[in-house]
Amino acid sequence: MKPQSRPRDPRFSSGPCTKRPNWTLDNLKNASLGRSHRSGEGKARLKEVIDRSRAILGIPDDWRIGIVPASDTGAFEMAMWSMLGARGIDTFAWESFGAGWVTDIEKQLKLNDLRKFDAGYGEVPDFSQADPVRDIIFTWNGTTSGARVPDADWIRDDREGLTFCDATSAVFAMDLPWKKLDVVTWSWQKVMGGEAAHGMLVLSPRAVERLQSYTPPWPLPKIFRMTSGGKLIEGTFRGETINTPSMLCVEDAIDGLKWAEEIGGLKALIARSEGNLKAIADWVARTDWVDFLAGDPKSRSCTSVCLKVVAPWFEALSGDEKAAAAKKIVKLLDDEGAAFDVEGYRDAPPGLRVWAGSTVEQSDLEALFPWLDWAVATVAAEHGA
Ligand SMILES: Cc1ncc(COP(=O)(O)O)c(C=O)c1O
């Protein structure tokens, strides 16, 4: 039977993620539009994003925070291109985005003093292998597999190498141990439901030291450059962006941060996302056809929740048939306006991915579950089950 009511907000995409509750375009009416981002007002707005982010996330005062071009990808690439090559590198990858960074290190930067620690979709690698003398590259939350770093005990406080953490689908929904992270990146379009295009880059004092003491042997485009004459360009970390940002996106980022403060800051954001994961876990526990792709609850993501269909009719299908069946389930949900964008990532095993980050209302997830049951039952019936 088709469920009676739909989620009030059917947006469950893993990026761009749904806006905060009660968001309207009206909230952006005071944006600093049609004038220079280098005006006093423009720079103040950009700095406001930096200052509010620092306060909410508890980022130490001596860690730099910059707004940089090209979303999370831009932020992470500029860090890798500016700082890697000074030491050997340990990479940890367990899904598509993490694997993408490793490919760039090998194929583009052509660095070969690499030790690669990988795991398949749903699992995480053996982090205890990390060598504190080497640089470490990893993603805090594997957006395409729904598996996250369970803790940071494996990162030594007295490390000599730098840790580079792509935290784009983690930050604001998970507690990050800033003192153990030398380079952290994210974009506004994930947990806070902001707009894409701009990246956030956090640098520890040791990362700054690397920037000022090491010059990579390859050329760096202007868009990646963080130093001038061997000195950090401090303005980048005060809101004087490398190139022109969208002040409309900036206003939206501020709106999201103010909302976070109103509801109680980081604790409240994490509680919303963890509460959503709990609601999904309770539904999974009482539902035969579904399971988490991430087997170990300790590394199960509270934002990008990846689910697999474990019904016998589905498991009997070939890989291509599974992908086709998953697509049908997703299309039914989309056609009904019950859930948008819940297909698993293209490189992940066929299944569903439901964003459960802090902007998602638990009541919308509760309303979604019967629709997931209905869509899977509909496609199961087509397969004679
Ligand atoms: C872990 C991870 N890294 C990087 C990206 C790329 O982010 P962006 O498109 O904001 O550059 C994503 C996007 O989903 C992601 O999930």
Side-chain angles (χ1 to χ4, degrees), residues 1 3 283 287-291 307-315 317 325-333 342 351-352 368-385:
M1 286 281 284
W283 166 72
T287 307
D288 285 344
W289 63 262
V290 69
D291 204 354
L307 300 167
K308 54 185 183 181
V309 181
V310 293
W313 69 267
F314 189 88
E315 294 203 311
L317 302 176
K327 269 199 188 325
K328 268 193 192 165
I329 295 166
V330 168
K331 182 164 186 322
L332 281 173
L333 293 163
V342 292
L352 302 172
L368 170 68
F369 301 146
W371 282 97
L372 295 176
D373 293 336
W374 167 81
V376 169
T378 305
V379 176
E382 287 174 18
H383 285 82

Side-chain angles (χ1 to χ4, degrees), residues 159-229:
R159 65 195 174 279
E160 290 172 35
L162 300 177
T163 49
F164 292 67
C165 175
D166 169 1
T168 198
S169 58
V171 70
F172 292 106
M174 302 176 196
D175 221 354
L176 295 182
W178 296 101
K179 297 257 162 159
K180 288 185 182 275
L181 306 176
D182 296 300
V183 176
V184 184
T185 65
W186 69 89
S187 79
W188 298 336
Q189 51 117 350
K190 287 275 193 288
V191 176
M192 298 302 288
E195 294 300 299
H198 303 297
M200 298 297 287
L201 174 66
V202 173
L203 301 177
S204 74
R206 290 178 55 248
V208 173
E209 193 184 293
R210 169 78 61 88
L211 281 169
Q212 297 187 144
S213 62
Y214 166 73
T215 306
W218 46 74
L220 278 184
K222 174 176 174 177
I223 216 90
F224 280 5
R225 283 204 293 270
M226 288 184 264
T227 56
S228 171

Side-chain angles (χ1 to χ4, degrees), residues 115-306:
R115 301 195 312 155
K116 296 189 281 182
F117 303 99
D118 300 329
Y121 276 86
E123 287 165 9
V124 289
D126 179 4
F127 294 110
S128 71
Q129 299 287 331
D131 180 346
V133 171
R134 300 164 68 83
D135 287 340
I136 296 172
I137 299 278
F138 69 107
T139 298
W140 194 275
N141 180 70
T143 321
T144 67
S145 74
R148 63 171 149 175
V149 175
D151 60 59
D153 298 348
W154 53 281
I155 301 174
R156 291 256 296 266
D157 292 332
D158 63 351
R159 65 195 174 279
E160 290 172 35
L162 300 177
T163 49
F164 292 67
C165 175
D166 169 1
T168 198
S169 58
V171 70
F172 292 106
M174 302 176 196
D175 221 354
L176 295 182
W178 296 101
K179 297 257 162 159
K180 288 185 182 275
L181 306 176
D182 296 300
V183 176
V184 184
T185 65
W186 69 89
S187 79
W188 298 336
Q189 51 117 350
K190 287 275 193 288
V191 176
M192 298 302 288
E195 294 300 299
H198 303 297
M200 298 297 287
L201 174 66
V202 173
L203 301 177
S204 74
R206 290 178 55 248
V208 173
E209 193 184 293
R210 169 78 61 88
L211 281 169
Q212 297 187 144
S213 62
Y214 166 73
T215 306
W218 46 74
L220 278 184
K222 174 176 174 177
I223 216 90
F224 280 5
R225 283 204 293 270
M226 288 184 264
T227 56
S228 171
K231 283 257 166 269
L232 188 75
I233 303 171
E234 293 282 0
T236 306
F237 304 91
R238 286 193 303 253
E240 295 157 26
T241 50
I242 299 173
N243 68 335
T244 315
S246 157
M247 297 308 289
L248 196 60
C249 295
V250 168
E251 197 67 14
D252 190 57
I254 293 172
D255 173 74
L257 294 165
K258 284 183 175 166
W259 167 74
E261 289 158 7
E262 272 162 31
I263 65 166
L266 184 62
K267 254 200 180 137
L269 293 169
I270 294 174
R272 282 176 64 90
S273 189
E274 292 289 353
N276 286 342
L277 172 61
K278 166 89 169 48
I280 297 174
D282 291 347
W283 166 72
V284 167
R286 61 177 191 264
T287 307
D288 285 344
W289 63 262
V290 69
D291 204 354
F292 288 99
L293 183 56
D296 183 353
K298 284 204 294 295
S299 52
R300 218 169 257 167
S301 171
C302 63
T303 57
S304 59
V305 178
C306 296

